[in-house]
Amino acid sequence: MNIDFNLFMNDVVRQARQEIVDAGYKELTTPEAVEETISKQGTTLVMVNSVCGCAGGIARPAAKYSLHYNKKPDQLVTVFAGQDKEATEKARSFFTGYAPSSPSFALLKDGEILTMIERHEIEGHDPMQVVEKLQNAFESYCEEK
């Protein structure tokens, strides 16, 4: 049996994109969209998505469940590492002081980085531990919704 790897990967990417959009995040696929969105006033959570197992098993579920909280960012957005490379590179240009990491979460205010949850804080952790990290950041930096 021959499996077309490209078709398989396209399906995996499509599912990964849809999962985070269904959770309420806006997908940013161009550098211009990233610049316009992240530069807005207020708090923005950027989820750097990827196809790795820790993204699917930990980061995306945490991205969804962390929103069940009384304080939340004003904007929820996502870029896809390895897929929308220019958009991801532009988003990472806002993450001053942090190395490229995917999956990851960056919380910004008025375009300035406040905190980041990097891959090493996601990989090997329970999704609820990541939810707790996200909600702690929301508690510190976001307004009640």
Side-chain angles (χ1 to χ4, degrees), residues 34-35 87-96 111:
V34 169
E35 177 75 36
T88 302
E89 184 178 318
K90 183 63 176 176
R92 287 177 172 156
S93 74
F94 286 89
F95 310 160
T96 308

Side-chain angles (χ1 to χ4, degrees), residues 28-35 38 46-49 78-102 104 106 108 111 116:
L28 305 177
T29 59
T30 67
E32 295 79 17
V34 169
E35 177 75 36
I38 292 179
V46 180
M47 193 272 184
V48 180
N49 202 356
T78 183
V79 294
F80 207 116
Q83 300 298 312
D84 301 319
K85 294 176 184 171
E86 293 162 347
T88 302
E89 184 178 318
K90 183 63 176 176
R92 287 177 172 156
S93 74
F94 286 89
F95 310 160
T96 308
Y98 294 93
S101 177
S102 60
S104 62
L108 302 100
M116 189 143 180

Side-chain angles (χ1 to χ4, degrees), residues 46-138:
V46 180
M47 193 272 184
V48 180
N49 202 356
S50 72
V51 295
C52 72
C54 62
I58 303 167
R60 286 192 300 273
K64 178 180 180 178
Y65 291 110
S66 68
L67 302 179
H68 298 282
Y69 197 67
N70 61 331
K71 292 185 178 183
K72 295 179 216 164
D74 299 315
Q75 300 184 98
L76 303 169
V77 299
T78 183
V79 294
F80 207 116
Q83 300 298 312
D84 301 319
K85 294 176 184 171
E86 293 162 347
T88 302
E89 184 178 318
K90 183 63 176 176
R92 287 177 172 156
S93 74
F94 286 89
F95 310 160
T96 308
Y98 294 93
S101 177
S102 60
S104 62
F105 296 93
L107 185 61
L108 302 100
K109 183 170 184 176
D110 305 335
E112 299 293 324
I113 188 78
L114 298 170
T115 190
M116 189 143 180
I117 299 170
E118 299 173 272
R119 180 186 177 104
H120 71 269
E121 298 173 274
I122 297 168
E123 188 176 33
H125 291 80
D126 180 270
M128 291 312 292
Q129 291 173 306
V130 179
V131 167
E132 185 177 341
K133 289 177 188 185
L134 285 165
Q135 289 178 342
N136 285 339
F138 299 168

